[in-house]
């Protein structure tokens, strides 16, 4: 999993007025292979139903990770949906216990401070990749500390052997800097969710990542 | 599980300014045998840590159910804590898929409308009991429809074979009416969480339930 590449965080609130499923459909058509479904304002039932529907769009084409709600991931999986893992943060369940309950699913963790990355290194055997950011300030997540910048991101990739996916107001134009900075992927919310054409924006992001090889 | 008896919903926000653990400790000392831990404003990590601590107080003395967050239940269980089940609502994961992921843990469901109780009857094999309310209007849960009253509660127990626990601003004085109305238990939030002496209030509730036999 050294290279995750272009990665969509399909944050339901950011997709408005389009449906989240429409955005995911465009992203899959545009070649995005990593999609994280994030639903902060929905009930567990709504999140679960959305996960089932999203999995029908991504099955066989992209990894579909569930943000935070490991129970939603487990439920969708139990219902036969092609969900492939979870992405959790520092305020969620500890990664080792998360690994115990998700089994062999993909486990991504947000970690950006020195302390959090060093802890992740101690837990590296149960983690598949790190989400590192925010590279730039973003309205999507308001609880982030000072933006890291592209240099700050590159520095953090030297602190760990885990694949690091850059996130936080990054765009296709950052693909070269992220990749040369040791990044394993480039995750976006608004660059696809709010694009005029999510499919075209996705294809552009995928192409930019490939071109930066 | 026909008789659950006096049941505490330890809602963290309702325990303030006391700690939730202090309230639970008092309830256990007072003889309460069913405790549901409800944490609506806490992060998953905080809820998990609280569940571990609560389980140390209830182990061998009371059932400890986790409200809504099945992932927190599974994580606490994986960590070896004596959590015994979950209580979920209509906006949470569907009960059949919840049962799939919790295994043989206790599964309680909030169901009060005719439609919800009839659906619960169809799913009865995976449900251990129903929470039925609100008997009276309560500030704890603001999304409840018109209060049922004690008669409305009693009527609902005739709609199902599942044990029905009454909830919603009920007190020890209602034990007789709830029990004669077919109730399997009496669940309180504020009557214990905000009591001057949670242990004494718990003992009083337990005694009232027993006296109503």
């Amino acid at each position: 999993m050294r290279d995750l590449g272009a990665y969509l965080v399909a944050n339901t609130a950011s997709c408005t007025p389009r449906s989240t499923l429409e955005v995911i459909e465009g992203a899959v058509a545009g070649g995005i292979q990593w999609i994280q479904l994030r639903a902060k304002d929905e009930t567990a039932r709504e999140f679960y139903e959305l996960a089932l529907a999203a999995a029908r769009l991504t099955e066989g084409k992209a990894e579909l990770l569930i943000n935070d709600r490991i129970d939603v991931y487990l439920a969708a999986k139990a219902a036969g949906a092609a969900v492939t893992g979870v992405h959790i943060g520092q305020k969620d369940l500890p990664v080792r216990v998360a690994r115990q309950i998700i089994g062999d699913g993909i486990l991504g963790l947000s970690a950006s401070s020195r302390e959090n990355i060093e802890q992740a290194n101690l837990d590296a055997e149960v983690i598949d990749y790190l989400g590192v950011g925010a590279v730039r300030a973003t309205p999507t997540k308001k609880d982030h500390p000072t933006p890291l910048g592209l240099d700050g991101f590159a520095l953090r990739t030297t602190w760990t052997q885990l694949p690091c996916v850059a996130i936080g107001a990054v765009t296709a134009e950052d693909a070269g800097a992220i990749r040369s900075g040791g990044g394993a992927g480039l995750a976006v919310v608004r660059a696809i969710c709010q694009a005029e054409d999510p499919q075209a924006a996705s294809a552009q992001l995928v192409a930019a990542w490939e071109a930066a090889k």
Side-chain angles (χ1 to χ4, degrees), chain A:
Chain A
M1 195 185 300
R2 195 59 232 180
D3 188 14
L4 291 86
Y7 178 130
L8 167 65
V9 179
N11 184 50
T12 58
S14 305
C15 293
T16 309
R18 265 188 295 249
S19 78
T20 306
L21 293 175
E22 187 184 337
V23 170
I24 289 174
E25 192 168 26
V28 170
I32 296 280
Q33 288 177 17
W34 286 81
I35 297 176
Q36 177 194 140
L37 187 58
R38 186 192 280 167
K40 293 297 190 190
D41 304 322
E42 284 75 4
T43 66
R45 178 75 64 102
E46 289 166 340
F47 196 176
Y48 166 76
E49 300 289 354
L50 184 60
L52 297 186
R56 286 191 284 270
L57 299 175
T58 58
E59 186 165 10
K61 296 171 189 160
E63 305 291 343
L64 180 63
L65 309 185
I66 301 299
N67 177 263
D68 292 356
R69 291 294 300 245
I70 296 178
D71 47 359
V72 170
Y73 162 72
L74 293 171
K77 200 176 166 200
V83 287
T84 50
V86 299
H87 184 96
I88 62 177
Q90 298 292 327
K91 295 176 182 172
D92 297 310
L93 295 171
V95 287
R96 286 187 179 273
V97 75
R99 171 57 72 197
Q100 278 184 271
I101 64 177
I102 70 169
D104 59 3
I106 292 159
L107 176 54
L109 174 70
S110 295
S112 299
S113 70
R114 180 105 205 183
E115 183 191 357
N116 289 345
I117 291 173
E118 285 177 354
Q119 182 59 53
N121 288 337
L122 296 176
D123 297 327
E125 72 212 58
V126 303
I127 300 171
D128 290 303
Y129 74 89
L130 299 182
V132 178
V135 172
R136 299 193 185 92
T138 155
T140 311
K141 294 199 84 174
K142 294 185 177 62
D143 56 349
H144 271 129
T146 315
L148 309 177
L150 288 165
D151 284 353
F153 173 77
L155 175 63
R156 279 155 182 78
T157 70
T158 69
W159 294 348
T160 183
Q161 297 290 317
L162 286 163
C164 292
V165 175
I167 188 165
V170 287
T171 69
E173 291 176 16
D174 300 313
I178 290 169
R179 201 149 192 177
S180 66
L186 187 169
V188 303
V189 181
R190 292 175 300 146
I192 292 176
C193 294
Q194 294 183 11
E196 201 168 314
D197 179 343
Q199 178 176 340
S202 298
Q204 186 194 6
L205 207 65
V206 170
W209 185 260
E210 291 307 312
K213 251 179 186 158

